[in-house]
Amino acid sequence: MMLKTAAFYVRKELILSTIMVVSIALACGLFISMNLFISSFQNAISNWIKTSTQSDIYIQSKYNSIPNPVSINNEDVNQIISHPSVLSWNSISRDSITIDSKSFILRGVQYKDLLKELQFTSVLKDFNTFKLNSEDLLLSESAAKILNKNVGDSLSFITPSGEFTSFVKGIYIDYASEHGVVTISHKQMKMLYKDQFKYHGFALKMKSKN
C-alpha cells in the first residue's frame, strides 16, 4: 500500500514538473517571439520614417490633422515658397472623400521625387521600370485592404469637378494613417479642385549655409 502511494506521488510530481517545464518553455518562446516582432516592427517604422522624410523642414497648419485637414492661407504660402533660404519645395493638399460609404483621405502631392519617399508593396508591371504619370493613382496599404483593391483595378470617387476614375498604379506603406489614403498628383488635384484647391502642407529643402 505504501509503495503504491509513493508511486502515485512520484508520478504526480513528475507530471507537475513536466507541466511546469513545458509552461516555462512556452513562456520563453512567446517572450522571444514578441521581442523579435517588436524589433522587426521598430526597424520597419524606422526605415519608413527615414524614407518618407527626406526634406529638411515640414510645415502645416497648427490645427491640421489627417482626418480633418486645415489649409495654409495664401499669404503664408507665398512667404514660404519665396523665402530666400528655400532651395526647393513640395506641397501636400488634402481632402476627405467617401468611397463605397467609407471615409478616406485624398492626398495630392508632386510625383517628381515621390518614388524615393514611398515604400511600395506592389506596383503595376515591374519595380525596375516603374514610373508615375500625373494621371496615375496610388493607394496606401490600409486603403487597398479596406477597398479590396489591387494594382490594375479601377477606382472612382466624387470630386468638386464630378466623378474621377483612374487605375491603381501602386500600393504603398503608410504607417501615419490607418484611415486609408488615396494619393493623386498635385497637377491632377489642382485640375479637379480648381478654385477650391488648397495647400495643407509643405516639405522644404533648404539652401546650404556654405
Side-chain angles (χ1 to χ4, degrees):
M1 183 66 180
M2 290 180 63
L3 286 173
K4 287 183 179 180
T5 303
F8 169 77
Y9 281 108
V10 168
R11 284 198 299 272
K12 183 180 177 182
E13 290 300 322
L14 284 172
I15 291 169
L16 289 173
S17 298
T18 303
I19 291 171
M20 287 178 64
V21 170
V22 171
S23 299
I24 292 169
L26 287 171
C28 290
L30 181 61
F31 178 75
I32 293 168
S33 297
M34 285 296 294
N35 276 343
L36 289 172
F37 173 77
I38 291 169
S39 177
S40 176
F41 185 69
Q42 286 177 333
N43 289 335
I45 292 289
S46 177
N47 290 334
W48 175 75
I49 291 172
K50 288 177 183 177
T51 302
S52 60
T53 55
Q54 297 187 18
S55 295
D56 299 313
I57 296 174
Y58 292 85
I59 297 175
Q60 65 177 18
S61 171
K62 178 181 179 181
Y63 302 103
N64 186 68
S65 65
I66 289 177
N68 300 299
V70 177
S71 63
I72 300 172
N73 66 58
N74 290 332
E75 184 180 345
D76 288 339
V77 168
N78 292 329
Q79 289 182 1
I80 290 168
I81 63 178
S82 62
H83 194 281
S85 296
V86 174
L87 178 65
S88 63
W89 57 271
N90 286 325
S91 67
I92 303 169
S93 300
R94 295 191 181 98
D95 192 18
S96 298
I97 59 172
T98 301
I99 306 173
D100 296 339
S101 302
K102 300 178 181 71
S103 296
F104 298 92
I105 300 300
L106 176 65
R107 182 179 72 154
V109 295
Q110 276 93 346
Y111 274 3
K112 183 182 176 182
D113 297 317
L114 192 64
L115 295 182
K116 299 175 184 177
E117 300 175 4
L118 294 181
Q119 294 179 333
F120 287 92
T121 58
S122 58
V123 298
L124 197 62
K125 296 184 179 178
D126 183 70
F127 276 100
N128 297 322
T129 58
F130 185 60
K131 292 181 181 179
L132 288 173
N133 298 313
S134 61
E135 66 273 12
D136 291 334
L137 180 148
L138 305 171
L139 287 180
S140 70
E141 199 173 22
S142 56
K145 288 179 180 177
I146 294 168
L147 291 166
N148 193 28
K149 294 288 185 180
N150 294 307
V151 291
D153 291 344
S154 65
L155 184 68
S156 300
F157 53 88
I158 302 299
T159 74
S161 296
E163 187 176 72
F164 171 72
T165 301
S166 186
F167 291 94
V168 179
K169 190 73 175 283
I171 296 171
Y172 62 93
I173 296 169
D174 187 348
Y175 292 115
S177 175
E178 62 184 17
H179 299 276
V181 180
V182 179
T183 296
I184 59 175
S185 69
H186 167 86
K187 180 180 178 181
Q188 188 71 66
M189 193 156 187
K190 210 165 186 178
M191 288 174 58
L192 293 171
Y193 279 73
K194 298 178 181 177
D195 59 343
Q196 295 183 42
F197 177 84
K198 298 180 184 297
Y199 291 102
H200 295 88
F202 285 92
L204 310 176
K205 288 188 177 179
M206 313 304 290
K207 293 178 182 177
S208 173
K209 291 183 180 180
N210 300 327

